[in-house]
């Protein structure tokens, strides 16, 4: 690990001005950043530690019915917060399906949003990687890429964003609150992460020094609580990143879908909201035909980026599954294996 | 629950005693090699190759040296001399070592330099600053990248080909045939404790804290490498955080020893997790073609097992996957043949059940396919082809309670009523359910081992042997044997082990350790009692006077007359009156060559597995495992069960999870960490049961022990794969089974 300066700011303003110096990185729990530093992928010259900043660790109910989650709130604390869990069950389910208990106890909201791709070539400094070293090439093309992107990728980069948490968040219209040298601003999560295009090294809209201070979920997101699920396909039952995943949320009125949200994980460099599929669901009966059609629409643009054509079909299936489970109703209690196909179901797979 | 009836009064053997070092371990007091910090300690970090083949053209040694805290950089230029070429294999079970003998690179992850610094962090950064440049040459990465050859031998000395009967005729005459090819991946060692060493030199004396599965052999290898007397090397290895065959001999640790020599201070070298995917050996990838034929009644007419296994370009270890076909099923014609290909990878080696594990998943899959082709239940098919004698050698088995294993395992699992056809079972939520089985087997072998036993003046005992506790509980099981041999209870016994200055207990490998070290301990203890008896029965003042050597038994610290329980005397009294401070004896144990000539010696078992598969998504979970094993005498059922559990879980891993992902161009391991190199987590193994089937073996060794360390992985991997077929109707022949192989274009 390289030598670096360590700064412990006492206020958001101090943090922002410290991090505006080139070569700085914010340190939250470090479950991603420190790992990358140990393997030489990240080599910041100064770490600006967020762990002592006051005011970023609250889960606040907003007067309009929404919720604001401070950037320092731990993944486990958010998932276990009874009020949050009741109103945004798919978000809690996604959080609890990520990483391991030990990691969730550490990892923060801000860090989860900004975690880096798990592309093995990104993590290996001996490989060519446009995201890590712009212009060097992309060794994932023609290499090991069975878990890479099927949507929104470019010739320059085919990596995916690995977060579970972000998938229901983007479905539910979360907004990111940002503080920065130029003052505060906010950006919808759907616009927060950038697709690679020709500049995969630009992963989010954050400008140097900008700090995520909070996430907000609007009041209407809670309106889906009765029909909201996250489903994650993994290569082992727990402690694995998603091969593909989906968050689905429905509002069902008089046997018809009044509003629908659908987002996919593990398919693109950002959490992938499928708005066209959502639109197609509105007004339909919540049945297999409607879900099948929505899944087709959601993946209409998908193309393999390597040995991963199977992910396109899997993504359709996981979208269908999430919609079907959401239609069946949010379970009273989160299952013991959150988001797993092996979690006990109400009504069965074909119900 | 089933434990109490095994407890026999006055005997430690057979008791489910908990690990004697358990409390030390769970309270963090057990001192592993890397926990040692002698004064003046420096930290060494390896720099490893990023290419598979070529040479290191340059290293920025100046940049590394200039980093604050860095003390030295060791490269081929300044590496201290060795007394022998590290490519010279002087002791059995040894492999060519990469000890900076030149600038050649022969596999990815090969050590190319060592940075030594005051802190681990400085050494790590120094290693990064070396920024090697390479001259790379094209690498052979996959089993198809090189011409196969027939090696002179496979494993540790088995022939590459074996025949019995006429396989072609058997296949031609068969009513049913299958011809199937299976592939197993490269698997890397991921013991909890990575390889490490803390080394200090004092002139030509060398002091080492280092986990090893072979104290005496490591001592010999190091003595030869460094040109110093073996007695001058003291290796302490009291705790080993898992070995599984990777810690038999010093591999990369020798670089830590060289580093200590270079800087003249104690040095600690511990491999990072990523560095475990290079120089510490691995399980070789294989491709196995099996051709089986059966007569109308389901009796095998022929079994042909052809293996292609990878070894390195520069050294030989050929995974002996086909050997399992020599012993398991009766067939009038059996042929096995192994060919090897040379790849630009580290040299493969021993990994828990080397050969048997990879061979078993292929053979058990093929047997399952054959049973299905015959329309027979897989258990009935195996019973139909039960081997009463070892098929290829024709030898009788020293003991074989496999029928009982099948019966007890099947009953416990509830195998009866399993539908023959696949895709017939669903659970209440619609998941596909499948049941599969496999036969487990592992040879019962032995090395040579020695031990020393002392009966002390105060009536207590001391037994010592340089045995290895890798977490399996050797300390506990061997102490139980020692206590019994001396007629003491465990509290009256001091047991010393895990150090190279104790008698040579042989290697802890090949599931031999309890038989070997236990046999030696038993011999030493029995001999000490015989000497004590001589003293007592010759002494007219002893109540045992005139009983004769065979007329007494040792129990509870006393010698007791067989024919008259009222006549006995304590050890302390016997020694006290004779004015002896102690009585000492040595003992040894080794395989009985005559018995091995006459008998085939194997442990056996039957494993039954249930899996569930999501029909749409293809995600798999092994939900239930039942194994029943017969392995001769069981010294400690608790420890044995945990060996079986661990082996069975590895079997799940083999079938469903574990495998290195190699970049097809460079051969580099792209998942060299525990986040991406998947082994099962708790949620993957909801229910495992191991049944201990009674078996008495009068031939295998004095104690009747067969060894239990490796057998659990065999049988299980195939059982899980067969259960996946039974659940889905899809036969996957490439392991680990991946989701895309199950979903195809349609629902699984
Ligand atoms: C073995 C393993 C398995 C995992 N499995 C999963 C999984 O299944 N699903 C999943 O979703 N995740 C998984 N993760 C990832 C995990 O969720 C992330 O590591 C974690 O959320 C990062 O949070 P952190 O607080 O530790 O961030 P850090 O590591 O501290 O930071 C991560 C990045 O975010 C930046 N950052 C942090 N906070 C802010 C802020 N407020 N403003 C601006 N920038 C900021 C940092 O500079 C850094 O670049 C896994 C991680 C590991 C190690
Ligand atoms: S896919 Fe993206 S992250 Fe991976 S190697 Fe290519 S450029 Fe780098």
């Amino acid at each position: 690990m390289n030598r670096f300066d360590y700064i412990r700011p006492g206020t958001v303003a101090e943090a922002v001005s410290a991090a505006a110096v080139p070569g700085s990185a914010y340190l939250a729990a470090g479950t991603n950043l420190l790992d990358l530093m140990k393997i030489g992928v990240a080599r910041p010259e100064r770490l600006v530690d967020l762990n002592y900043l006051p005011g970023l660790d609250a889960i606040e109910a907003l007067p309009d019915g929404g919720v604001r989650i401070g950037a320092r709130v731990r993944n486990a604390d958010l998932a276990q917060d009874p009020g949050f869990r009741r109103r945004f069950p798919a978000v809690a389910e996604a959080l609890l399906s990520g990483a391991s208990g030990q990691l969730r106890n550490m990892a923060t909201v801000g860090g989860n949003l900004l975690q880096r791709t798990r592309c093995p070539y990104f993590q290996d400094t001996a490989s060519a990687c446009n995201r890590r070293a712009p212009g060097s090439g992309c060794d994932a093309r023609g290499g090991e890429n069975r878990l890479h992107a099927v949507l929104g990728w470019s010739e320059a980069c085919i990596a995916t964003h690995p977060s579970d948490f972000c998938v229901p968040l983007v479905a539910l219209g979360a907004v990111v609150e940002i503080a920065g040298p130029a003052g505060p601003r906010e950006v919808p999560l759907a616009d927060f992460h950038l697709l690679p295009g020709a500049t995969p090294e630009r992963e989010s809209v954050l400008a140097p020094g900008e700090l995520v201070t909070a996430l907000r979920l609007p009041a209407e997101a809670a309106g889906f609580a009765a029909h909201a699920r996250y489903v994650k396909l993994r290569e082992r039952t727990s402690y694995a990143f998603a091969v593909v995943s989906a968050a689905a949320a429905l509002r069902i009125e008089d046997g018809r879908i009044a509003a629908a949200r659908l987002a996919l994980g593990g398919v693109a460099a950002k959490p992938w909201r499928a708005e066209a599929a959502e639109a197609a669901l509105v007004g339909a009966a919540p049945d297999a035909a409607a879900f099948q059609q929505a899944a087709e629409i959601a993946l209409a643009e998908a193309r393999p980026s390597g040995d991963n054509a199977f992910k396109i079909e899997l993504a359709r299936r996981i979208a269908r599954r999430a919609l079907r489970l959401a239609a069946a109703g949010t379970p009273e209690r989160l299952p013991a294996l959150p988001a797993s196909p092996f979690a006990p179901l109400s009504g069965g797979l074909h119900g | 629950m089933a434990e109490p009836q095994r407890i026999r009064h006055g005997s430690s053997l057979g008791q489910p005693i908990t690990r004697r070092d358990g409390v030390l371990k769970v309270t963090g007091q057990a001192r592993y090699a890397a926990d040692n910090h002698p004064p003046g300690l420096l930290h060494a970090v390896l720099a490893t190759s990023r290419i598979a083949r070529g040479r290191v053209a340059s290293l920025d040694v100046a940049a590394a040296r200039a980093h604050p805290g860095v003390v030295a950089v060791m490269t081929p230029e300044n590496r201290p001399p060795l007394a022998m070429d590290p490519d010279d294999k002087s002791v059995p079970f040894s492999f060519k070592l990469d000890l900076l003998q030149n600038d050649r690179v022969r596999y990815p992850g090969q050590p190319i330099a060592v940075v030594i610094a005051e802190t681990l962090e400085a050494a790590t950064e120094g290693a990064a600053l070396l920024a090697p440049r390479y001259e790379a040459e094209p690498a052979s990465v996959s089993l198809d990248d090189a011409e196969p050859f027939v090696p002179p031998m496979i494993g540790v000395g088995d022939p590459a080909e074996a025949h019995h009967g006429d396989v072609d005729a058997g296949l031609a005459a068969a009513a049913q045939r299958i011809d199937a090819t299976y592939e197993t991946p490269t698997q890397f060692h991921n013991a909890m404790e990575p390889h490490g060493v803390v080394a200090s030199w004092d002139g030509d004396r060398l002091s080492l804290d280092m986990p090893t599965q072979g104290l005496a052999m490591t001592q010999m290898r190091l003595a030869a490498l460094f040109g110093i007397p073996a007695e001058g090397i003291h290796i302490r290895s009291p705790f080993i955080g898992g070995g599984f065959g990777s810690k038999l001999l010093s591999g990369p640790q020798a670089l830590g020893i060289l580093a200590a020599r270079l800087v003249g201070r104690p040095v600690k070298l511990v491999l990072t997790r990523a560095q475990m995917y290079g120089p510490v050996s691995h399980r070789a990838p294989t491709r196995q073609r099996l051709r089986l034929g059966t007569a109308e009644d389901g009796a095998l007419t022929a079994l042909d097992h052809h293996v292609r296994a990878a070894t390195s370009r520069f050294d030989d270890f050929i995974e002996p996957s086909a050997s399992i076909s020599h012993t398991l099923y009766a067939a009038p014609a059996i042929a096995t043949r192994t060919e090897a290909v040379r790849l630009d990878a580290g040299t493969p080696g021993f990994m828990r059940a080397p050969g048997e594990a990879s061979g078993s998943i292929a053979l058990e899959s093929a047997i399952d396919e054959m049973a299905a082709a015959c329309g027979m239940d897989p258990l009935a098919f195996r019973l139909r082809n039960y081997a009463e004698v070892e098929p290829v050698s024709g030898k009788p088995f020293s003991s074989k309670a496999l029928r009982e294993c099948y019966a007890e395992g099947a009953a416990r699992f509830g195998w009866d009523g399993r539908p023959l056809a696949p895709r017939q079972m669903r659970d209440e939520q619609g998941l596909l359910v499948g049941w599969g089985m496999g036969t487990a087997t592992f040879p019962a072998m032995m090395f040579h081992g020695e031990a020393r036993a002392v009966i002390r003046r105060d009536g207590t005992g001391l037994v010592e042997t340089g045995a290895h506790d890798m977490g399996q509980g050797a300390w506990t099981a061997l102490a139980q044997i020692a206590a019994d041999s001396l007629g003491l209870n465990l509290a009256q016994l001091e047991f010393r082990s895990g150090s190279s200055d104790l008698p040579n207990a042989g290697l802890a490998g090949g599931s031999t350790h309890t038989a070997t070290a236990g046999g030696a301990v038993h011999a030493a203890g029995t001999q000490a009692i015989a000497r004590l008896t001589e003293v007592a029965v010759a002494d007219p003042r002893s109540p045992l006077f005139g009983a004769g050597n065979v007329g007494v038994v040792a129990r509870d610290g006393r010698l007791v007359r067989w024919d008259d329980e009222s006549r006995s005397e304590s050890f302390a009294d016997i020694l006290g009156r004779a004015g002896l401070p102690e009585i000492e004896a040595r003992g040894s144990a080794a395989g009985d060559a005559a018995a091995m000539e006459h008998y085939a010696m194997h442990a056996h078992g039957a494993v039954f597995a249930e899996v569930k598969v999501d029909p749409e998504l293809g995600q798999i979970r092994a939900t239930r495992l039942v194994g029943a094993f017969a392995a001769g005498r069981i010294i400690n059922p608790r420890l044995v069960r945990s060996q079986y559990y661990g082996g069975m879980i590895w079997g799940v891993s083999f079938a469903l999870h574990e495998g290195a992902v190699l970049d097809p161009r460079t051969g580099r391991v792209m998942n060299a960490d525990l986040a991406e190199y998947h082994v099962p987590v708790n949620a993957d193994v909801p229910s495992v049961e191991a049944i201990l089937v009674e078996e008495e073996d009068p031939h295998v060794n004095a104690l009747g022990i067969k060894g239990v360390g490796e057998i659990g992985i065999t049988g299980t991997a195939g059982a899980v794969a067969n259960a996946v077929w039974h659940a889905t109707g899809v036969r996957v022949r490439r392991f680990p089974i991946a989701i895309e192989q199950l979903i195809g274009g349609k629902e699984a």
Side-chain angles (χ1 to χ4, degrees):
Chain A
M1 199 185 277
N2 60 307
R3 294 167 78 89
F4 52 82
D5 293 332
Y6 171 84
I7 291 162
R8 188 185 282 182
T11 64
V12 167
E14 274 175 43
V16 166
S17 71
V21 179
S24 304
Y26 288 121
L27 173 67
T31 61
N32 188 219
L33 180 60
L34 296 184
D35 277 3
L36 293 174
M37 288 173 70
K38 287 182 196 163
I39 58 176
V41 170
R43 295 180 68 85
E45 282 157 37
R46 46 160 48 188
L47 287 184
V48 180
D49 190 347
L50 305 177
N51 285 289
Y52 300 86
L53 280 187
L56 300 187
D57 56 358
I59 305 168
E60 286 167 75
L62 299 175
D64 71 353
V67 64
R68 174 186 281 122
I69 310 152
R72 273 183 51 207
V73 172
R74 308 277 171 194
N75 288 190
D77 290 339
L78 182 59
Q80 304 297 355
D81 182 87
F84 182 82
R85 200 171 168 147
R86 186 168 35 77
R87 301 182 64 216
F88 308 101
V91 181
E93 192 166 18
L95 278 169
L96 293 175
S97 74
S100 64
Q102 294 90 331
L103 283 158
R104 295 192 297 268
N105 286 342
M106 296 285 296
T108 64
V109 161
N112 195 314
L113 251 55
L114 286 150
Q115 63 174 298
R116 315 293 300 274
T117 182
R118 308 304 289 198
C119 170
Y121 300 93
F122 172 80
Q123 298 199 27
D124 172 27
T125 52
S127 296
C129 171
N130 289 323
R131 189 175 285 270
R132 174 170 37 74
S136 62
C138 170
D139 273 348
R141 313 291 313 267
E144 169 57 34
N145 52 26
R146 60 183 276 277
L147 298 180
H148 281 68
V150 293
L151 282 164
W153 53 271
S154 70
E155 292 303 316
C157 177
I158 60 173
T160 61
H161 191 263
S163 169
D164 292 302
F165 180 44
C166 288
V167 181
L169 284 179
V170 80
L172 294 172
V175 173
V176 184
E177 297 185 3
I178 298 167
R185 60 174 180 137
E186 46 183 65
V187 177
L189 181 63
D191 302 329
F192 181 78
H193 297 96
L194 299 176
L195 288 176
T199 55
E201 71 279 11
R202 291 212 56 214
E203 295 180 359
S204 76
V205 297
L206 288 186
E210 279 194 319
L211 174 74
V212 172
T213 51
L215 263 182
R216 233 174 39 233
L217 276 166
E220 66 167 322
F224 293 98
H227 293 280
R229 291 305 295 270
Y230 182 68
V231 194
K232 176 178 179 182
L233 179 59
R234 281 167 273 200
E235 295 185 308
R236 61 183 166 194
T237 310
S238 177
Y239 197 36
F241 289 95
V243 175
V244 290
S245 68
L250 300 171
R251 246 183 32 237
I252 299 178
E253 288 168 11
D254 303 329
R256 297 261 148 199
I257 298 172
R261 299 296 176 81
L262 179 67
L264 298 169
V267 294
K270 62 190 285 186
W272 193 267
R273 180 152 173 199
E275 278 172 308
E278 294 173 359
L281 285 165
V282 175
D287 60 20
F291 298 154
Q292 172 67 28
Q293 193 205 2
E296 295 292 340
I297 296 172
L299 275 300
E301 311 278 298
R303 302 173 291 144
S305 61
D307 300 329
N308 58 0
F310 74 98
K311 281 184 66 171
I312 299 174
E313 176 57 20
L314 275 178
R316 283 191 199 105
R317 294 182 186 188
I318 199 110
R320 257 168 23 210
R321 172 70 57 83
L323 286 165
R324 198 159 71 219
L325 292 179
T330 307
E332 204 120 301
R333 296 178 351 152
L334 275 184
L337 290 171
S340 169
F342 298 109
L345 296 180
S346 40
L349 283 182
H350 299 282
Chain B
M1 286 292 108
E3 245 77 279
Q5 88 263 10
R6 292 183 174 276
I7 298 176
R8 284 182 284 138
H9 177 71
S11 173
S12 297
L13 289 193
Q15 291 196 40
I17 293 164
T18 54
R19 283 175 178 73
R20 303 177 85 206
D21 48 7
V23 171
L24 285 183
K25 285 180 175 168
V26 297
T27 54
Q29 295 174 79
R31 214 175 182 31
Y32 289 81
D35 296 330
N36 291 287
H37 296 91
L41 182 73
L42 294 175
H43 298 263
V45 167
L46 299 182
T48 56
S49 157
R50 262 44 196 293
I51 63 166
R53 183 174 176 222
R55 59 177 286 270
V56 179
S58 74
L59 289 168
D60 195 346
V61 172
R65 288 212 56 138
H67 188 70
V70 170
V71 173
V73 177
M74 186 166 76
T75 70
E77 308 270 295
N78 64 341
R79 188 265 267 154
L82 289 169
M84 70 182 279
D85 182 349
D87 278 351
D88 196 354
K89 304 200 279 181
S90 61
V91 288
F93 305 111
S94 66
F95 293 97
K96 296 185 179 181
L97 297 174
D98 296 282
L99 303 180
L100 305 177
Q101 51 265 49
N102 53 45
D103 63 4
R104 284 297 301 173
V105 172
R106 42 195 192 183
Y107 58 91
Q110 178 193 313
I112 54 171
V114 182
V115 177
I116 305 127
E118 297 287 349
T119 63
L120 176 63
E121 290 76 10
T124 304
E125 181 63 6
L129 291 170
L130 287 171
R133 284 194 313 103
Y134 303 96
E135 279 165 19
E137 295 159 26
S140 297
V141 175
S142 86
L143 285 172
D144 296 311
D145 285 358
E147 268 305 302
F149 64 97
V150 177
M153 62 168 208
I154 59 173
V156 286
D158 296 335
E161 300 193 12
H163 300 274
H164 129 90
D166 184 341
V167 160
D168 289 334
L171 285 172
Q176 305 281 346
R177 276 178 286 275
I178 62 140
D179 179 345
T181 300
Y182 306 89
E183 288 189 40
T184 65
T186 305
Q187 295 180 352
F188 279 95
H189 279 287
N190 270 297
M192 191 114 72
E193 176 201 36
H195 292 54
V197 65
V198 174
S200 336
W201 288 92
D202 176 7
D204 262 357
R205 300 185 69 78
L206 178 57
S207 164
L208 301 173
D209 294 292
M210 178 168 94
T212 172
Q213 297 174 245
L215 282 160
M217 206 129 16
T218 302
Q219 198 186 28
M220 264 166 67
R221 174 82 160 138
L222 292 173
L225 267 177
F226 288 95
I228 56 176
E231 312 77 66
I233 303 176
H234 185 194
I235 310 174
R236 289 171 298 272
S237 182
F239 303 103
I240 306 167
F244 307 110
S246 74
K247 291 175 181 157
L248 285 170
L249 281 176
S250 144
Q253 288 106 319
L255 288 166
I257 302 170
L258 279 164
R261 183 128 224 174
L262 179 75
V263 295
R265 282 169 65 177
V267 164
K268 168 151 64 174
L269 171 70
V270 180
L271 268 60
T272 65
R273 181 59 56 184
Q275 289 170 349
M276 293 287 290
Y277 295 74
V280 305
S281 89
H282 58 272
R283 196 192 299 280
T286 71
R287 182 181 297 148
Q288 305 178 47
R289 180 175 178 201
L290 278 122
R291 294 188 302 152
L292 274 60
T294 49
E296 293 293 353
D297 62 355
L300 285 166
T301 57
L303 192 174
D304 185 46
H305 192 162
H306 182 190
V307 178
R308 177 183 287 197
T311 187
S312 69
R313 194 186 285 274
F314 56 95
D315 203 356
D316 294 328
F317 180 81
I318 320 292
E319 175 92 354
S321 305
S323 303
I324 197 161
S325 287
H326 300 162
T327 62
L328 217 42
Y329 298 104
I334 296 176
T336 65
R337 189 158 80 88
T338 299
E339 62 186 26
V341 295
R342 296 206 176 278
L343 302 183
D344 294 297
T347 307
F350 307 101
M351 185 188 276
R352 202 174 197 177
E356 285 80 10
S358 54
S360 171
I361 195 169
L363 176 63
E364 293 305 313
S365 294
I367 289 287
D368 202 62
E369 296 203 41
M370 194 71 247
C374 296
M376 283 179 76
D377 172 76
L379 176 53
F381 183 79
R382 285 173 172 81
L383 288 168
R384 178 74 192 74
N385 291 289
Y386 194 84
E388 301 290 352
V389 297
E390 189 180 47
V392 169
S393 70
K395 293 179 190 176
F397 290 99
S398 59
S399 63
K400 179 175 177 179
L402 177 56
R403 265 208 186 83
E404 293 76 4
C405 295
Y406 284 141
E408 291 188 35
R412 178 75 197 159
F413 183 83
W415 181 259
D416 261 11
R418 170 189 176 277
L420 267 190
R423 270 189 99 87
Q424 300 302 305
M425 303 195 292
R426 298 241 180 188
D427 74 357
E428 61 289 351
Q429 63 178 16
L431 295 167
L432 295 166
V433 178
W435 290 354
M437 68 167 296
T439 308
T441 188
F442 198 80
M445 302 179 284
M446 259 183 97
F447 293 115
H448 175 84
E450 293 160 15
R452 176 173 167 264
V454 177
I455 301 167
R456 294 167 170 150
R457 170 72 183 82
D458 63 2
T460 64
L462 163 70
V463 170
E464 41 187 40
T465 182
H468 315 86
D469 198 323
M470 306 177 286
Q472 84 279 41
W475 272 23
T476 308
L478 295 177
Q480 286 174 260
I481 296 171
D484 263 32
S485 70
L486 286 174
L488 293 172
N489 61 46
L490 278 170
Q492 297 166 300
L493 176 81
E494 183 186 349
F495 180 74
R496 288 192 199 141
S497 201
S499 178
S500 65
D501 54 3
L502 302 175
N504 177 359
L507 285 183
S511 299
T512 61
H513 208 38
T514 313
T516 305
V521 157
H522 174 76
T526 316
Q527 185 59 28
I529 289 298
R531 294 211 176 135
L532 185 70
T533 305
E534 275 172 32
V535 173
V537 299
D539 182 345
R541 289 166 298 169
S542 167
L544 300 169
F545 178 66
N549 272 357
V550 289
V552 298
V553 61
R555 204 166 63 209
D556 293 330
R558 305 177 75 80
L559 294 183
V560 185
R561 267 189 85 128
W562 266 121
D563 54 356
D564 183 357
E565 296 254 333
S566 70
R567 292 170 69 185
S568 72
E569 191 172 28
S570 76
F571 298 173
D573 287 349
I574 298 168
L575 289 171
R577 203 174 41 245
L580 291 169
E582 61 179 36
I583 276 189
E584 185 199 336
R586 290 183 175 258
S588 68
D592 174 348
M596 288 189 288
E597 195 50 46
H598 281 100
Y599 296 103
M601 300 174 176
H602 301 272
H604 288 94
V607 183
F608 298 83
E610 176 185 87
V611 304
K612 294 190 178 180
V613 181
D614 188 299
E616 250 183 331
L617 302 174
Q619 195 172 319
I620 312 166
R621 189 180 192 207
T623 44
R624 206 151 62 82
L625 293 177
V626 173
F629 299 93
R633 172 183 258 174
I634 297 308
I635 302 299
N636 182 323
R638 181 193 303 266
L639 298 174
V640 165
R641 222 170 253 132
S642 84
Q643 284 299 299
Y644 291 149
Y645 293 157
M648 290 164 76
I649 291 166
W650 202 328
V652 173
S653 191
F654 203 122
L656 301 183
H657 300 295
E658 194 172 346
V661 174
L662 304 185
D663 180 86
R665 298 153 303 192
T666 63
R668 281 215 302 274
V669 184
M670 297 318 294
N671 59 342
D673 64 59
L674 286 175
E676 310 297 337
Y677 184 96
H678 283 183
V679 296
V681 296
N682 281 318
D684 290 306
V685 202
S687 162
V688 190
E689 281 182 71
I691 299 168
L692 312 186
V693 174
E694 298 281 338
E695 186 179 73
E696 249 185 65
D697 193 316
H699 307 295
V700 71
N701 50 51
L703 291 169
I705 294 170
K706 284 185 174 174
V708 299
E710 291 164 275
I711 188 172
I713 183 170
T714 73
T716 309
V720 171
N722 294 337
V724 170
W725 170 78
H726 191 240
T728 62
V730 181
R731 179 68 67 176
V732 179
R733 301 190 182 90
R734 196 164 159 214
F735 305 106
I737 296 174
I739 285 169
E740 63 262 40
Q741 295 169 305
L742 284 188
I743 61 157
K746 51 178 175 48
E747 286 213 345

